[in-house]
Amino acid sequence: MTKESALNKSEGTRPSSGVNADLAKKIRARRKQEISTETLFQKIKAGDKTALSQGITLIESHTAQAQQKAAELIEKCLPFANRSFRIGITGVPGVGKSTFIEAFGGHLADAGKKVAVLAVDPTSTVSRGSILGDKTRMETLVNHENAFIRPSPSGDSLGGVAKKTRETIILCEAAGFDTLLIETVGVGQSETTVHSMTDFFLLLKLAGAGDELQGIKRGIMEMADAIVINKADGENLKPARQARSEFRRALHLYPAKDSQWQPKVLLCSALKKTGIEEVWDLMKEFEELVKENGYFNSNRQAQNKFWMLQTIDEHLRNRFYRHPEIKKLLPEQLKALEKNETTPFEAAAHLLEKYRSL
Amino acid sequence: MTKESALNKSEGTRPSSGVNADLAKKIRARRKQEISTETLFQKIKAGDKTALSQGITLIESHTAQAQQKAAELIEKCLPFANRSFRIGITGVPGVGKSTFIEAFGGHLADAGKKVAVLAVDPTSTVSRGSILGDKTRMETLVNHENAFIRPSPSGDSLGGVAKKTRETIILCEAAGFDTLLIETVGVGQSETTVHSMTDFFLLLKLAGAGDELQGIKRGIMEMADAIVINKADGENLKPARQARSEFRRALHLYPAKDSQWQPKVLLCSALKKTGIEEVWDLMKEFEELVKENGYFNSNRQAQNKFWMLQTIDEHLRNRFYRHPEIKKLLPEQLKALEKNETTPFEAAAHLLEKYRSL
């Protein structure tokens, strides 16, 4: 009875015996796949969200077969990609990222924009309160016909997450999503990663330039195209305005951006849905400027090149550091370095010489 | 007559003929070298500045023979290194770096400190007004018995300059220099490079937060342990004080440093020699804090490790990108990327597969 449950039936993997039956199953399975990559692509192109989800699952899958299918799918989608405005959103936990994305994404979706929400979170195996891991927090947006929400791929290195997110962007764009919100949970290098795959980078803040600022890592403020001070409502409005002045002064001290855009500081209350329209107006202003002055395209080209070189570097490093011989020798050199018995350059030369002779 | 000029005589390389004579010369030359590495080391250890200069010249030399000797010399010096306080100094051209180093270094040398001044300038083949290329600008310091000034090694990549500078630091420390001033001309990544080889990072500024700020690259302000506003004298004193308030506010917005040090803003006039003592007091305060809380050592360990990994990465990359086959294939992939015919990851995978099969 247990074996014959509805769940087992629906999976269509009833046990069969004999080599021939197995082979037949394999052939059927393969045929099914061959059909489905093209079908999947057609459905994605038609804006089918279920197909989009299935496509992303292929991208996130670790099997060679799924990876092969994912590569085919991405290749089909590529000519239809590159068409959205990609917005990176960061901020420390507690700043109200989920509420903001719900309000902001909802505003855009209501206005007819097709909004996809993705996340970069290399630590999502261990729950860190990532907003997108907890979809229920964005109830309205998740059910909006113009919106698509996908949690971060889990259990992976930042490099792996970045690759999957960038490939997911291609699929979302092919599916007709014109506005991408890519959230970073602010762990490790995730802000830099999101910054290097988006057109506009938004930093969410709270009033009260004290403790919460400690959570923002070095360099993040300099990457921001806009700082939006959230929860600017009620009693919080006055300190929020004061914070706005402070951040404006601070931004003024930064060097000019390549985009020629002067970063702005805005107030909003995601909860009360105030200031949301202004954030979108600002982004449109930005988009107009950078499409006019050519930065939009040159930046995307530079990002593509960056990711290619980045991927190559990562692979070269992995091949080196994962080599059994290097794994054995590296700790010895690190120890010698610690005791000042060698220089960093001498130690490196020693390891490289060994590696070359392997 | 021309051939017998004093210049030719002094070189001691009068033409001789015959294989035996040549061989004898080579043997004599080699013997001379074998002696001189140990002699050089002994002289360096005794604080002989001429020997120190010769040692650094070996480090900067590109011949295999000189590199071999340099490696021997560094190995001998290593046990006597790691003993100085290393100060990085940056600021845009015109901020008065040379005058500041002259005044600050002179102050320390007068107080009995042994001061070595180095520079990191990967562009010094083309003169960019590097203060240390033009020694005459530091007339007093250059002639001070407690000071040693060495211009930046020229005509090299930043990685090359960094390696040479770090090795030079070892020699200077073995020669008994207890305070190292390492200037960066602020080109390319040179600030980050200097930051990652020093204990304290000082950013020189001018009052008037306008155009000159454009010259400071992103992230530099966040690296600073102190911002010193130079030329704070006469009519400039009032705007300098105002700038100090602004920078203090700006620094307040930055996240806390691993060192637990709260960066400070000071005024000085290198020309009038005011505020110099305060800068040194600040550094002593810093040194006390970080030696107490363990950051001084952990940071140096981290820097050593960083430089080792950095060197390995650079070599792995060079081997890849300088390979004739990759040189041929890379532009093709970049072109395909530009036309959105491939993804960064697909292009990288293609190149890596080719490289592996070579």
Side-chain angles (χ1 to χ4, degrees), chain A residues 26-308:
Chain A
K26 276 187 192 162
I27 290 171
R28 270 200 312 276
R30 189 185 297 167
R31 201 171 290 154
K32 198 176 152 198
Q33 281 158 25
E34 275 166 13
I35 299 162
S36 65
T37 307
E38 176 61 24
T39 310
L40 208 53
F41 163 63
Q42 289 300 342
K43 283 183 173 178
I44 287 173
K45 229 188 127 260
D48 181 328
K49 286 195 241 178
T50 309
L52 178 56
S53 281
Q54 286 167 351
I56 298 172
T57 301
L58 283 179
I59 286 173
E60 293 174 1
S61 170
H62 287 273
T63 72
Q65 208 181 39
Q67 282 299 304
Q68 175 58 32
K69 284 186 71 181
E72 283 169 33
L73 188 61
I74 292 161
E75 204 185 321
K76 286 175 195 285
C77 288
L78 252 185
F80 306 95
N82 243 315
R83 296 172 179 183
S84 78
F85 186 59
R86 304 167 186 165
I87 301 159
I89 299 175
T90 193
V92 296
V95 78
K97 280 202 295 292
S98 60
T99 320
F100 178 80
I101 291 175
E102 167 101 334
F104 184 66
H107 175 79
L108 298 182
D110 284 346
K113 288 279 171 195
K114 292 203 72 189
V115 181
V117 183
L118 310 173
V120 168
D121 177 5
T123 64
S124 61
T125 29
V126 186
S127 169
R128 281 205 185 227
S130 161
I131 56 160
L132 299 179
D134 185 3
K135 280 195 196 182
T136 55
R137 288 212 241 161
M138 294 203 275
E139 267 175 20
T140 318
L141 193 58
V142 84
N143 293 315
H144 200 296
E145 60 164 338
N146 284 341
F148 175 79
I149 299 183
R150 178 81 183 191
S152 179
S154 64
D156 217 317
S157 70
L158 186 55
V161 171
K163 176 176 186 288
K164 287 168 184 175
T165 306
R166 278 195 58 107
E167 291 175 344
T168 298
I169 290 174
I170 293 168
L171 262 53
C172 289
E173 290 178 341
F177 288 93
D178 53 35
T179 312
L180 265 49
L181 307 183
I182 302 163
E183 181 229 10
T184 152
V185 294
V187 177
Q189 290 292 306
S190 60
E191 293 99 338
T192 313
T193 303
V194 168
H195 180 253
S196 64
M197 57 173 72
T198 51
D199 305 310
F200 187 97
F201 198 66
L202 188 154
L203 172 58
L204 275 181
K205 284 272 196 182
L206 290 180
D211 291 336
E212 56 92 20
L213 273 159
Q214 311 293 326
I216 286 288
K217 291 191 301 274
R218 333 204 127 258
I220 306 302
M221 256 178 57
E222 297 204 29
M223 296 193 310
D225 293 303
I227 294 177
V228 175
I229 301 166
N230 192 21
K231 304 188 184 177
D233 49 41
E235 285 181 7
N236 221 0
L237 194 56
K238 206 183 148 190
R241 282 187 184 134
Q242 201 176 326
R244 180 173 58 185
S245 305
E246 271 185 55
F247 284 123
R248 276 181 182 161
R249 264 200 302 267
L251 286 180
H252 177 68
L253 293 171
Y254 286 125
K257 284 179 174 264
D258 290 342
S259 58
Q260 296 172 32
W261 171 254
Q262 173 64 44
K264 305 282 193 306
V265 188
L266 292 178
L267 301 183
C268 92
S269 166
L271 203 66
K272 309 274 182 195
K273 296 201 168 64
T274 56
I276 299 295
E277 177 76 35
E278 285 77 3
V279 174
W280 180 236
D281 285 346
L282 192 76
M283 288 180 190
K284 282 191 290 190
E285 197 191 314
F286 171 88
E287 196 182 3
E288 202 178 322
L289 173 81
V290 295
K291 283 193 170 166
E292 176 82 26
N293 69 18
Y295 178 78
F296 186 85
N297 276 323
S298 68
N299 182 45
R300 285 208 171 173
Q301 295 289 352
Q303 288 180 342
N304 273 340
K305 198 177 164 188
F306 167 82
W307 282 105
M308 189 188 87

Side-chain angles (χ1 to χ4, degrees), chain B residues 42-281:
Chain B
Q42 290 300 343
K43 284 183 173 177
I44 287 172
K45 230 189 126 255
D48 181 328
K49 287 194 241 178
T50 309
L52 178 56
S53 282
Q54 286 166 349
I56 298 173
T57 301
L58 283 179
I59 286 173
E60 292 174 2
S61 170
H62 288 274
T63 71
Q65 209 180 39
Q67 282 300 302
Q68 174 59 30
K69 286 186 69 180
E72 283 169 33
L73 187 61
I74 292 161
E75 203 185 321
K76 286 174 195 285
C77 288
L78 252 186
F80 307 94
N82 243 316
R83 295 171 179 185
S84 78
F85 187 59
R86 304 166 185 166
I87 301 159
I89 298 175
T90 192
V92 296
V95 78
K97 279 201 296 292
S98 60
T99 320
F100 178 81
I101 292 175
E102 169 100 336
F104 184 67
H107 175 80
L108 298 182
D110 284 346
K113 289 278 169 195
K114 293 204 71 190
V115 182
V117 183
L118 310 174
V120 167
D121 177 6
T123 64
S124 62
T125 29
V126 185
S127 169
R128 283 207 184 225
S130 161
I131 57 160
L132 299 179
D134 184 3
K135 280 196 200 182
T136 54
R137 287 211 241 160
M138 293 203 274
E139 266 175 21
T140 319
L141 194 58
V142 85
N143 292 317
H144 200 296
E145 61 164 336
N146 284 342
F148 174 79
I149 298 184
R150 179 79 183 193
S152 179
S154 64
D156 217 316
S157 69
L158 185 55
V161 171
K163 176 176 186 287
K164 288 168 184 176
T165 306
R166 278 195 59 107
E167 292 175 345
T168 299
I169 289 173
I170 293 167
L171 263 53
C172 288
E173 290 178 341
F177 288 93
D178 53 36
T179 313
L180 265 50
L181 307 182
I182 303 163
E183 181 228 11
T184 153
V185 293
V187 178
Q189 290 292 306
S190 59
E191 292 101 338
T192 313
T193 304
V194 168
H195 180 254
S196 63
M197 57 172 73
T198 51
D199 304 310
F200 188 97
F201 198 66
L202 188 153
L203 172 60
L204 274 180
K205 285 272 196 180
L206 291 179
D211 291 337
E212 56 91 21
L213 273 160
Q214 310 293 325
I216 286 288
K217 290 191 300 274
R218 330 203 132 261
I220 306 302
M221 257 178 57
E222 297 205 29
M223 296 194 311
D225 293 303
I227 294 177
V228 175
I229 300 167
N230 191 20
K231 304 189 184 176
D233 50 39
E235 286 181 7
N236 222 2
L237 194 54
K238 208 182 146 189
R241 283 189 184 134
Q242 201 176 328
R244 179 174 57 186
S245 305
E246 271 185 56
F247 284 123
R248 276 180 181 162
R249 264 200 301 267
L251 286 180
H252 177 68
L253 293 171
Y254 286 125
K257 282 178 174 267
D258 291 340
S259 59
Q260 298 172 31
W261 171 253
Q262 174 64 44
K264 305 282 193 306
V265 188
L266 293 177
L267 301 182
C268 93
S269 165
L271 202 66
K272 309 277 182 196
K273 294 200 169 63
T274 57
I276 300 294
E277 178 76 36
E278 284 78 3
V279 174
W280 181 236
D281 286 344

